Each structure stands twice: as C-alpha cells, then as structure tokens.
Amino acid sequence: MDARIKLLRILAWLSAFFVICSFLMLIGFLIYHGAPVINTSLFFGNTAPLEAITGSRPVWDGIWPAFIGTLCLVGLTMAISLLPGIGCGIYLARYSEGRKKEMLSMAVDLLASVPSIVMGLFGFVLILFLRRTLAPDATTCISLAAFCLALLVMPALVVTTRSSIESLPDSLVTTGISLGFTEQQMLLHILIPAAGKGILGGIMLAMGRAAEDTAVIMLTGVVVNSGLPAGLGSKFEALPFLIFYTAAQYTDQEELLRGFGAAMVLLMLSAALLYAASKLQRTMEKHWKGAR
Amino acid sequence: MKDNKNTPIWLKASAAYVSSLMSALFIFIALCAVDGLMKSGPSLFCSVWDPERGNFGILPMIWASGLLSLSSLITGWTFSVGCCCFIHGFGPRWAARFLANILRIMTAVPTVVYGFASVFLLVPLIRNGLGGSGFSWLTASIVLSLLIMPTMVLSMDSAFKTIEAQTSITSAALGFTREQNIAMVVLPASKQWIWSSALLGFGRAAGDTLIPTMLAGNAVQYANTPLDAMRTLTAHIGLVLSSDVGGTAYLSLFVAGGILLFVSISANILFRLMRKKIWMQG
C-alpha cells in the first residue's frame, strides 16, 4: 500500500509539473513575442486604418483581411448552423423518446467524434460531386467552408441546447400548461427564454470552435492572399490558416512577428469566447439550482 | 409531457436536417473510400508514395498515425491519471486549484496556436539538445499528448468527484487518509471511467491534423526512432489536397479519410458501450 501511494505521489507531482511547465512555457513564449507587436500596424500594415476598414484600399502587410475573413466565416457558419442546431437540441430534449431519441443522440455524438480533416474531405468530395453533376464550375469557397464548419460545430450546439432545456425545472412546464399555453407558445415564451443563457453559452462555444479550426478550411478554399472576402462564392483568408502558413513559409523577421501577432489575436478571440461560454453556463446553473 | 402530435414543424425539420447531413457525410466518405479501394486496390498497401509513377502507398502513413496517436495517448493518459490524483488530494490545495484552472484554460487554446509556439520553442530545443531536424515523432507526440490531456482529465475528474463523495466519509472512519482513499478506493472503483476516457483521448489524437503537419516533419517513411520524421494520415490528406497533386492521387486520400472515419467512429462507439455498461452497473 505504501509503495503504491509513493508511486502515485511521484506520478502526480510529475504530471502536474509537466502540464504546468509546458503550458506556461508555450503560452509565455507566445505572449513574450506576440504581445509587443499588437498595434494598429499589425492589423493594417502601411494602409491607413480608415481606408482599410472601408475596404477602399487593400491591406497587403497586415492581418486585417485574415481577421475579417475569420469573422465572416464564423458569422456565416453560425447563420447556417444556428437554427438546425438549436432546433435539434430542443427536439431531443422535449419531443423525442425511446429508440428515436437514442438514435438521434447517438448520431450527434458520432458527428462530434468525426475528425475535422474528414469534414474538410467531405466538403472537397461534395465539390467534386457537384462539378460532375449540377455545376461544372463549382469551386471551393467561403460558403463551402462555412457549410463544413457548420457540421463541425453542430454537435456543440445540439448538446448544450439539449442539456440547458433538460436542466429546467418541471414546474415551469406544469405552470405553462396550467395557464393554457400551446406547445409553440410555451417554447417561445417560457422554455427558450429560461434556457437562454445556456443556449447562448453553446453558441459561444460553437463560435470558438469555428474560429480556431484549421483543418476544415484548409481543404475548402482558404488562401493566403485574397484580400477581404468578396462574396459568398469567393476564396478567403483566415487567421488560423495565416498562422499555420507563417510557421512553415515565413521569409523574414517581419512576417514571423506578424505570425506571432496573429496567434495572439486568435488566442485572445477564442479564450474570450470560451470564457463567455463557461460564465454564461455557470450563471444559468446557479439560477435554476434552487428551483429544482 | 411528450405530445408528439404537437411537435412544432421546425423542430422536426431540424432534427431531420441534422440526421440527413450526418448520413450524407458517412455515405459520401464510405462510398469514396470503397471506390478508391476498388480502383487502386493493392497498390495502396505498399510503402512507396510517388504519385508521378503511380505509386500511392499509404502504409507508412497508417503506421505513423497509429504510432503517433498511441504514443501520445500513453503519455497523455498516464499524466492525466497523475493530474487527477494531484487535483484530488496528492497536491497542496492551492496548487491543485491552479492546475485545474490551467487545464480549463487549455481547452480554449486553438490547436494551431500550440503548433505555432512549438515550432519556434520546442523544435529548436529538440534540435539542439537531441539532434536531428527537430521535426520529429517525439516533438509531435509531446505536444499532442498535452493537447489531448484536458479532455481526458475532465472526464476522469467527474468520476473521481462522484466516487470520492460517496466513499470519503466511510474511509475516513476506517482511518484512511485522503491520499490512501484515492489510491486504494477511488482509483480502483473508477477503473472503467479511466479506461473509457483513454478512448476519448485516442479519438482526438488520431484525428488531429495540425500538430502532426506542423511538427512531425512529413517525410514519407517508417519512423523507427523518436527523432525520425513521419507523416500521418491526417497530415497526408491536408498536404496533398492543399498542394493540388490532382487526378488519381485523390483516390488514396479517400481511402485514408475512410480509415480515419472508421477508427474514430469505432473508438466513439466503444466509448459509448463502456459508459452504458457503467450506467447499468451504477
């Protein structure tokens, strides 16, 4: 017994040491190099910020196009995935039972376990298929990337929506019924507002995943130099791909520093989204804890 | 309360939409993989990747994927068990809280950021300290194990919490210290949870693309020592498709995608089965 505890004690300290040290070293290294370069010239390069923001002059040596590309991509992804994701979550929580429920929740679970590169491959196959059948000049573009990312973030949306609706106290539903609400009214006026914070948390989580993923967009139309995304069918730039590309192909110190800056910006973006998500979920849990 | 007749139509529609997307993904990837297997058959399972001469061997990539994901799983899993013990009584309280917070923050760090920082920090360290180019199995394995740890620790941690809550009073009455309780009671009792979270970690490790692409060197070869470069299936798909080799080379990628899909789905189904068994017992 003593030997076992001693062994575990060594393992515990060793692993804590490993995690804390490597994490602090990696992130510290990043902040050390990345924090000083965060300023307007990181975003806009030599272009005047106002002209860059209005798009009247292209930005060549800043991360602005990639930043906007990522924002557009995330926005488009959410536009595609929000309604079906939340709808499916509510359906799972309230309107399905037995075998159907089990099958659907298993499907969502399996979808969550599909590696993101396979999602990208799916998008690629889809384009090949479209080219052979309906649209001979279809090509990879921002809408395709958003469609595949929507698949990737769907499980997060479904699962958080489902668990926030399921965590609501039964008395809410009973009250609704006793007041003569129809299902539709109950959903819109009682359940969705009550679970709102949890659902919003899920949305933030999904946005974070969409913003950070690189493997999917790598196969579905991201490029290094396209400027601001021109439309739904155009190629686009994105922060994660810019970082990925810089790590392998940088040519001078300036580009390298831009890469560090981009990594910092992406890190802050995704940390902020995840922080908001966990905060929202925790307030919701606290709110309904006494009412169950 | 389940009145299926009154289900709002948009909910039904979205459930149908999600499940049809899911089946479309499976059918497309599976069909393409089978198609690739039929068309290029045995030539896939050789060791030479030379598209210009018609050699599409993906065996080295399969080998690399297996090796990399298993090695990072073993280190990551061992350290995860260690971290869980540290959080539950083996470490001082402030350090335990610190570690738990760090693990939570780690889930928020984008994979590409890990990769980027490692390229400029870990790769030179390994190059200068151990030799080679620095882009190697070892480098990728270290970062990958760090990447998959939060998922595993969080899933083990919830089991630890439940079981510790159930047993702590009894074992304290028997004169166990908290450490002894963890080592002799909680750890054996949560055995199945601990094993099943390894499956979770394996799925993530096998499916990750960025870390192997950025850190493992991408040479098509059988890596034998930790300092050798390797190219995994995921990295292979990404590299070939984004550099547009074109034509028949695609077929081998579809097979690679099919293998990845099959492996990650099987890991997930196994995970579900194990968890179900635990539920039944509990």
Side-chain angles (χ1 to χ4, degrees), chain A residues 1-2 4-5 8-9 11-16 18-20 22-27 29-30 80 83-88 90-97 101-102 104-122 124-126 128-129 147 151 154 158 173-174 177 183-184 187-188 192 212 214-215 218-219 239-241 243-244 246-248 250 256 259-260 263-264 266-267 270-271 274-275 282, chain B residues 1-4 6-12 14-15 17-19 21-22 24-26 28-29 32 78-83 85-86 90-92 95 98-99 102-114 116-122 125 142-143 145-146 149 176-177 179-180 182-184 187-188 203 206-210 213-214 234 237-239 241-242 244 250 253-254 256-258 260-261 264-265 268-269 272 276:
Chain A
M1 181 154 135
D2 277 345
R4 190 169 178 174
I5 288 181
L8 270 180
R9 198 177 288 154
L11 178 67
W13 280 92
L14 202 68
S15 3
F18 169 74
V19 172
I20 294 177
S22 25
F23 178 76
L24 289 185
M25 261 165 68
L26 283 177
I27 298 301
F29 176 75
L30 195 71
I80 300 174
L83 202 65
I86 291 179
C88 187
I90 298 176
Y91 182 80
L92 266 175
R94 283 200 36 85
Y95 300 102
S96 61
E97 44 195 353
K101 183 171 186 165
E102 206 164 297
L104 189 58
S105 64
M106 177 154 146
V108 171
D109 240 31
L110 288 185
L111 195 61
S113 76
V114 175
S116 63
I117 189 96
V118 176
M119 300 278 188
L121 194 62
F122 174 60
F124 193 81
V125 173
L126 215 58
L128 289 185
F129 179 73
F147 176 75
L151 264 179
M154 200 76 87
V158 174
V173 178
T174 329
I177 290 171
E183 273 299 328
Q184 190 84 348
L187 261 185
L188 289 182
I192 294 182
E212 69 150 339
T214 322
M218 214 158 79
L219 306 189
L239 277 180
F241 188 71
I243 298 167
F244 171 73
T246 307
Y250 71 98
L256 180 61
F260 273 108
M264 270 304 281
L266 184 66
L267 180 64
S270 103
L274 258 109
Y275 177 74
R282 220 165 306 151
Chain B
M1 284 321 115
K2 313 265 178 197
D3 192 348
N4 284 323
N6 288 336
T7 309
I9 191 86
W10 68 282
L11 293 182
K12 269 189 194 160
S14 42
Y17 176 70
V18 171
S19 27
L21 270 185
M22 160 87 192
L25 181 123
F26 272 71
F28 262 87
I29 298 287
C32 285
T78 318
F79 280 150
S80 297
V81 176
C83 278
C85 291
F86 191 85
F90 277 81
F98 185 62
L99 180 64
I102 284 211
L103 283 165
R104 214 164 300 132
I105 297 171
M106 275 166 76
T107 56
V109 179
T111 322
V112 68
V113 171
Y114 273 126
F116 188 80
S118 310
V119 167
F120 297 106
L121 183 69
L122 192 62
L125 267 182
I142 293 175
V143 182
S145 61
L146 199 64
M149 276 184 65
F176 277 28
T177 63
E179 280 185 0
Q180 285 168 334
I182 293 285
M184 310 312 290
L187 209 56
D208 193 80
T209 315
L210 266 287
T213 317
M214 292 174 94
T234 48
I237 298 177
L239 286 171
L241 279 192
S242 54
D244 269 331
Y250 287 159
L253 300 184
F254 296 150
L260 278 174
L261 189 67
S264 56
I265 292 294
N268 190 281
I269 288 181
R272 281 179 70 95
K276 212 174 188 178

Side-chain angles (χ1 to χ4, degrees), chain B residues 44-47 56-64 222:
Chain B
L44 282 173
F45 297 100
C46 65
S47 311
F56 302 110
I58 54 170
L59 270 189
M61 289 73 155
I62 297 178
W63 170 253
Y222 292 102

Side-chain angles (χ1 to χ4, degrees), chain B residues 43 85 93 153 185:
Chain B
S43 78
C85 291
R93 185 162 292 184
V153 175
V185 182

Side-chain angles (χ1 to χ4, degrees), chain B residues 68-92:
Chain B
L68 180 64
S69 49
L70 282 180
S71 63
S72 24
L73 179 66
I74 291 171
T75 36
W77 182 81
T78 318
F79 280 150
S80 297
V81 176
C83 278
C84 250
C85 291
F86 191 85
I87 291 174
H88 289 271
F90 277 81

Side-chain angles (χ1 to χ4, degrees), chain A residues 141-143 228-235:
Chain A
C141 61
I142 191 167
S143 331
L228 298 173
L232 288 178
S234 68
K235 303 274 183 192

